Amino acid sequence: MKVLIAEDSDLSRNVLSSILRKYDFTVIEAADGQEAVEKYLESDPDIILMDLMMPNKNGYDATHEIKSLSGEKFIPIIVITSMSETDALVKSIEYGADDYLNKPYNADAIHAKIIALFRIKELHDSLSNNRSELERLNKQAESELLVAEHIYDSVLSQRQTMLPQVRSYMRPVTTFNGDILMTAYTPSGGLNVMLGDFTGHGLSAAIGAIPAGEIFYGMSHKGFSIGDIVVELNTKLKRNLPTNMFCAACLIEVDKERTTVSAWNGCSPDIIITDNAGKVIHRVASSHVALGIASPEKFDRKVDILSIKGDECIYMCSDGLLDARNKEGIKFGMQNYLSAFSTDSTESVDLDDVVETFFKFINIDDINDDISLVEVNVDRGIDSWHADDFSDVNSIRLETEWALDLSFNIEGLKEINPIPLLVNFVNGINVIHGHKERIYTVLTEFFTNSLEHGLLNLESSLKSSATGFMEYFDLKESRLAELQDGEIDIHLAQKKIDDNWCIIIDVKDTGKGFVSGKDQLSLEDNVGYSGRGIQLVEQICESVEYNDVGNSVRAVYALNKNK
Amino acid sequence: MGINVTSNDESGEVNIAISGRFDFSMNNEFRKILVDSSGTDSSYLIDMGAVDDLDSSALGMLLLLREKAGGDEANIKIRKCQPDIIEMLEMANFQTMFDIS
């Protein structure tokens, strides 16, 4: 350890010097204040003993100057005083000194004092090192956060053109929201909405949001159902996220005709559906574990399907909303949430009313979770209830004949829904820009009829009530699992008919067919199969023809009809 | 407030008693249990009697314990939950993965 002694009396300096050397300190000597400052800069001592009365800059000024020069660094200065010099002692502390020594010198006391001050210096140095390390890490974290925010935005926000049906209140705790809201139209004109709540907040939560966003948007645009989407989300999140991280999520899908809502709720508060007066008519409680927990084999993709009139509102929220507390520490909770919908007011309840009820209840300073509330009003923005821009009919088209035949046996039908793959194929050969939605509708309608009515003999009349709907889909699942054989053949072709390029769609199944007697009656029956399904197909296509038993159907779709 | 771990030498069962708010603040303590405990052949009993609230990071810790204890083969009992804690565990459908009562 290096000790600087600043003392103008040669005798005093020598005495001190010899005492310190005895204790194995390295000693540097200065004979006046100015020299003390210079020696300090030159030799960087660990501690300084400073006499006060010195020529050429006194001890006070030298102390003050050295303290200013040392900046953030701590250099202990011990001033040397006589017993009687109390005023001088006080003054020296004001000038920045840390401690004092009385003359005459006592070797042990000097040693003890130096050791004690050195200990404080070490503590100071380590704190100050920690602090600069923290500052460095903080800066690094900030810059990494900026990069991550950019990536996050490019995946989620830029595609987040909020659809007119959807309104939301979202309040993140940090820059990054652990809650994500995504909305997309499907190629058949339906609407998919997902509200996800990742474990934790900030960056760690946002890491999961990035793959989730890619999957949700990608699969929605390709026409996969929310059942398919949750399977893919779960598989990906299970593989990528650490065990203790997951995503509580609600996904809903509203069909184009606004007759059904499909809902999947894993680990989120109840999804609430209200009628046009704002009264709660359905609740979909969580019936699954969150995404990213179950192994793909154990994952349950089952969706709840509810029939609606077309003027309902659907509400989804994150648990942050229900877990927020008031000043007494009481949670907002499901009861208060529901009560927000049952006001005496004659006006219909909407998102703003629920948010208002929430803020009247809770203590805003005490919110420590991301809070999200989403309203999907299926009646709003009907004009924009279309995914594709149909004006885009004149895009590049391959004007040539082609045909495609596909057969699905019973094993295949149990495993996959081939429709999205087919639509992708047809899109891939760049034939039907602007027609995607319609072709998808025709294919889906035919395929669903073949599977559900042709092969599985399901009665569409079941679907006329809400409970029947559930029964219908349960029955579909169980019958499909039991079915031993059956096949659906799909034939797709592009041909020129009367100078018009057309897509021919044939779907045939090995079922008995639905025609029991008169053709006309059967077609009307079939209308009932899935609401306005076949009617819609007839509107879209040039022609729709069933064979005489009704297990085979052909539609002709004209590609230049819109010109 | 905190976690208290005792193990029953005879049955080999590890008892974990948690109290207070079961949230991220218990993360380090909980991870220590995971490192210390013997592993997949142990069974666990989690006493939640004194837990008055939990959050999603608590669910995450339970999932870590389940993985450590053998995943689908794990033998983890969660006991003495207060009604609103049961409600939260059920919303997460944890009754399909843990023995809760």
Side-chain angles (χ1 to χ4, degrees):
Chain A
M1 201 192 304
K2 276 187 280 187
V3 182
L4 170 62
I5 301 169
E7 165 71 84
D8 59 331
S9 145
D10 291 343
L11 178 67
S12 256
R13 201 168 60 241
N14 287 338
V15 172
L16 265 176
S17 199
S18 65
I19 291 172
L20 294 178
R21 285 207 176 88
K22 227 167 57 188
Y23 288 106
D24 285 338
F25 294 128
T26 307
V27 177
I28 304 146
E29 296 182 19
D32 61 46
Q34 184 55 40
E35 200 187 345
V37 175
E38 282 158 16
K39 286 274 167 72
Y40 161 72
L41 290 173
E42 220 169 81
S43 51
D44 189 27
D46 297 299
I47 211 155
I48 300 173
L49 299 181
M50 179 85 71
D51 185 27
L52 289 173
M53 291 305 135
M54 289 186 291
N56 200 9
K57 195 169 283 178
N58 63 32
Y60 304 110
D61 291 338
T63 297
H64 184 71
E65 197 171 334
I66 289 170
K67 284 290 181 179
S68 322
L69 286 169
S70 64
E72 297 270 295
K73 229 177 116 188
F74 177 51
I75 169 78
I77 299 181
I78 302 172
V79 292
I80 302 160
T81 64
S82 309
M83 280 291 196
S84 53
E85 292 176 311
T86 313
D87 289 348
L89 170 65
V90 171
K91 188 178 168 193
S92 69
I93 299 288
E94 277 165 10
Y95 272 73
D98 300 286
D99 207 340
Y100 63 96
L101 267 176
N102 283 322
K103 292 177 193 170
Y105 306 122
N106 172 305
D108 288 340
I110 291 173
H111 178 244
K113 205 150 251 189
I114 287 176
I115 293 298
L117 270 177
F118 188 70
R119 220 179 269 155
I120 294 172
K121 178 186 162 58
E122 276 184 324
L123 185 65
H124 181 278
D125 288 351
S126 96
L127 277 178
S128 131
N129 281 342
N130 286 350
R131 199 180 59 182
S132 33
E133 177 69 4
L134 272 179
E135 271 167 12
R136 191 184 64 78
L137 287 174
N138 208 10
K139 280 206 183 96
Q140 191 181 334
E142 264 171 35
S143 75
E144 281 173 6
L145 205 62
L146 280 177
V147 175
E149 202 177 340
H150 173 78
I151 296 169
Y152 185 71
D153 281 352
S154 69
V155 175
L156 293 175
S157 308
Q158 284 178 11
R159 299 161 83 166
Q160 187 68 308
T161 41
M162 221 11 109
L163 309 181
Q165 294 82 5
V166 183
R167 291 202 305 148
S168 64
Y169 173 81
M170 300 187 89
R171 187 181 193 281
V173 183
T174 53
T175 318
F176 272 112
N177 202 337
D179 293 354
I180 51 166
L181 170 64
M182 297 184 283
T183 61
Y185 286 124
T186 67
S188 64
L191 170 66
N192 287 353
V193 181
M194 171 174 173
L195 178 65
D197 175 4
F198 282 89
T199 328
H201 322 283
L203 190 51
S204 67
I207 283 167
I210 292 169
E214 294 286 359
I215 291 169
F216 177 83
Y217 290 118
M219 291 184 74
S220 291
H221 290 147
K222 285 178 187 134
F224 286 92
S225 70
I226 56 167
D228 294 324
I229 296 172
V230 289
V231 167
E232 189 60 28
L233 283 170
N234 182 65
T235 305
K236 184 89 174 205
L237 294 178
K238 169 79 180 164
R239 196 166 54 214
N240 291 357
L241 295 183
T243 309
N244 57 338
M245 271 193 72
F246 48 84
C247 176
C250 284
L251 282 89
I252 60 155
E253 179 180 337
V254 183
D255 67 352
K256 184 183 177 181
E257 284 78 31
R258 295 175 288 139
T259 55
T260 60
V261 176
S262 310
W264 188 94
N265 182 348
C267 197
S268 293
D270 293 7
I271 299 170
I272 285 175
I273 302 179
T274 61
D275 62 14
N276 61 3
K279 198 173 134 262
V280 177
I281 50 171
H282 294 296
R283 284 167 66 179
V284 181
S286 159
S287 56
H288 305 280
V289 292
L291 296 170
I293 295 176
S295 58
E297 309 81 59
K298 294 220 160 181
F299 182 73
D300 182 5
R301 59 174 287 163
K302 194 163 178 295
V303 295
D304 291 319
I305 297 168
L306 306 160
S307 75
I308 54 169
K309 291 203 189 90
D311 55 4
E312 286 85 350
C313 274
I314 304 157
Y315 291 89
M316 300 183 275
C317 70
S318 63
D319 63 356
L321 183 93
L322 301 191
D323 290 348
R325 292 165 187 273
N326 67 7
K327 287 210 163 66
E328 284 77 47
I330 315 274
K331 286 183 181 179
F332 184 60
M334 188 44 96
Q335 285 316 312
N336 285 310
Y337 180 39
L338 284 172
S339 74
F341 294 97
S342 58
T343 56
D344 299 329
S345 159
T346 47
E347 277 180 45
S348 179
V349 176
D350 68 6
L351 180 93
D352 303 325
D353 300 317
V354 181
V355 171
E356 198 187 317
T357 309
F358 173 72
F359 279 107
K360 269 185 194 157
F361 183 87
I362 56 113
N363 175 16
I364 194 147
D365 299 327
D366 202 24
I367 294 179
N368 49 19
D369 194 3
D370 302 323
I371 288 169
S372 305
L373 177 67
V374 181
E375 173 195 81
V376 181
N377 184 336
V378 300
D379 206 18
R380 200 156 44 207
I382 296 175
D383 300 339
S384 59
W385 201 250
H386 286 273
D388 291 351
D389 178 12
F390 287 108
S391 63
D392 191 25
V393 178
N394 291 321
S395 57
I396 313 157
R397 199 157 62 219
L398 193 63
E399 298 212 318
T400 177
E401 296 202 347
W402 55 260
L404 167 75
D405 281 291
L406 285 164
S407 290
F408 299 93
N409 66 11
I410 189 62
E411 296 310 321
L413 292 170
K414 285 179 184 179
E415 289 293 319
I416 54 159
N417 171 8
I419 301 301
L421 302 171
L422 275 176
V423 173
N424 272 345
F425 169 77
V426 180
N427 277 338
I429 53 176
N430 208 1
V431 190
I432 49 162
H433 239 76
H435 296 268
K436 185 168 84 171
E437 176 185 88
R438 296 165 179 217
I439 302 229
Y440 183 87
T441 304
V442 177
L443 268 171
T444 306
E445 185 60 29
F446 287 175
F447 183 82
T448 309
N449 281 351
S450 276
L451 180 66
E452 297 181 2
H453 307 307
L455 297 184
L456 301 176
N457 291 313
L458 290 161
E459 294 289 336
S460 57
S461 56
L462 262 180
K463 285 200 273 187
S464 53
S465 72
T467 49
F469 242 97
M470 291 308 295
E471 197 183 327
Y472 183 91
F473 285 96
D474 285 344
L475 213 55
K476 177 184 169 185
E477 232 166 69
S478 61
R479 286 200 187 162
L480 186 58
E482 284 161 17
L483 198 65
Q484 295 297 325
D485 52 20
E487 193 174 297
I488 296 177
D489 298 326
I490 298 171
H491 172 82
L492 279 178
Q494 176 167 284
K495 265 189 187 152
K496 211 168 194 177
I497 301 174
D498 299 336
D499 242 20
N500 282 329
W501 284 102
C502 295
I503 300 277
I504 318 285
I505 302 164
D506 287 291
V507 178
K508 186 182 177 191
D509 63 71
T510 54
K512 291 196 298 282
F514 62 82
V515 176
S516 51
K518 295 171 212 157
D519 269 10
Q520 205 50 41
L521 211 155
S522 313
L523 261 181
E524 274 167 20
D525 277 352
N526 191 41
V527 172
Y529 270 166
S530 48
R532 286 165 280 171
I534 286 295
Q535 265 180 345
L536 188 68
V537 170
E538 285 181 328
Q539 280 167 13
I540 293 172
C541 296
E542 294 297 286
S543 66
V544 178
E545 283 171 49
Y546 281 86
N547 69 351
D548 49 3
V549 293
N551 67 353
S552 171
V553 63
R554 161 171 291 203
V556 177
Y557 180 89
L559 287 170
N560 24 15
K561 198 166 81 173
N562 284 13
K563 268 188 180 170
Chain B
M1 289 285 281
I3 304 179
N4 190 19
V5 186
T6 50
S7 55
N8 185 327
D9 290 337
E10 258 174 54
S11 62
E13 190 174 68
V14 180
N15 287 292
I16 303 172
I18 304 169
S19 60
R21 200 180 139 76
F22 188 13
D23 63 7
F24 192 74
S25 64
M26 295 196 185
N27 196 42
N28 287 345
E29 228 179 318
F30 203 89
R31 277 178 179 270
K32 202 166 163 289
I33 300 174
L34 297 180
V35 176
D36 293 348
S37 65
S38 53
T40 51
D41 45 351
S42 315
S43 57
Y44 293 84
L45 189 138
I46 304 176
D47 181 344
M48 303 268 273
V51 172
D52 46 37
D53 198 8
L54 54 79
D55 71 355
S56 63
S57 48
L59 300 180
M61 290 178 227
L62 293 174
L63 289 172
L64 283 175
L65 179 66
R66 184 175 182 270
E67 186 183 58
K68 162 94 181 180
D72 290 345
E73 312 302 320
N75 181 6
I76 303 172
K77 299 191 191 85
I78 299 177
R79 289 290 180 266
K80 298 189 200 166
C81 299
Q82 291 166 21
D84 54 332
I85 301 292
I86 292 244
E87 209 172 282
M88 292 168 94
L89 291 172
E90 282 181 353
M91 189 173 91
N93 269 272
F94 268 35
Q95 74 277 12
T96 60
M97 293 186 293
F98 297 88
D99 174 0
I100 301 174
S101 64

